[in-house]
Amino acid sequence: MPRFEPKNPDYRAIAIATFEQQRAMKTLGISIARLEPGEVDLKMDYSPDLTQQQGLIHARIITAGLDSACGIAAFTLMPAATGILTVEFKTNLLAPARGEHFAFRATVIKPGRTLTVCEALAYATHDGVETLIATMSGTLMALAGRGTAPEATA
């Protein structure tokens, strides 16, 4: 995979702060495990609160983790004061989301000034064995001059 050079020297701190503003990720128990220019690994532990009727992690949860991973990977390559928004994604669900731990690994495939293309893989670890459970191809749009949203008030 090509190594990307971030446009913002503070990309790490800003990407982490942006991720932490995503209340949905906190609600789902998803956190950053690794962060590099154009790449991110997110992690999540199993929770029965996130399952569907068969006790598997719901596909919408897996998709949310993949989408956020693509967004943060793309965000690491954006200039300062730039926001990001997903404009398209395609998810393939490959295996049941059964496991004790889940990982969402995204990589920028093609960075751009306006649109960035990413790919992400979701893995479930069950009984010590990691299994690929889903893939995502995503397109993200840079929002120049829009940075992250201010903290919302309730």
Side-chain angles (χ1 to χ4, degrees):
M1 220 59 212
R3 300 297 285 169
F4 295 111
E5 199 63 39
K7 293 182 174 120
N8 183 347
D10 294 328
Y11 80 91
R12 184 177 300 279
I14 293 169
I16 290 169
T18 297
F19 180 83
E20 289 175 355
Q21 286 184 340
Q22 295 181 37
R23 292 181 180 181
M25 294 299 103
K26 186 174 288 197
T27 298
L28 299 176
I30 298 176
S31 61
I32 295 175
R34 185 182 72 87
L35 181 68
E36 299 296 332
E39 301 177 10
V40 70
D41 293 357
L42 304 180
K43 64 181 181 175
M44 178 186 85
D45 290 331
Y46 175 86
S47 170
D49 292 335
L50 305 177
T51 61
Q52 41 83 298
Q53 70 279 5
Q54 295 166 327
L56 305 170
I57 297 295
H58 199 289
R60 290 179 181 160
I61 306 303
I62 300 302
T63 301
L66 289 166
D67 178 40
S68 188
C70 285
I72 295 299
F75 193 77
T76 64
L77 301 179
M78 297 292 158
T82 301
I84 195 157
L85 186 66
T86 301
V87 295
E88 178 271 340
F89 63 72
K90 162 94 169 74
T91 303
N92 291 299
L93 303 169
L94 307 174
R98 174 183 300 114
E100 299 84 35
H101 308 286
F102 297 84
F104 308 97
R105 300 177 185 141
T107 303
V108 170
I109 301 304
K110 174 74 171 81
R113 278 190 321 220
T114 305
L115 296 176
T116 295
V117 176
C118 293
E119 289 185 356
L121 305 172
Y123 295 89
T125 302
H126 182 63
D127 292 335
V129 176
E130 187 176 74
T131 301
L132 179 64
I133 60 169
T135 64
M136 178 178 281
S137 295
T139 304
L140 300 107
M141 179 175 67
L143 302 172
R146 301 247 326 247
T148 59
E151 191 67 27
T153 56

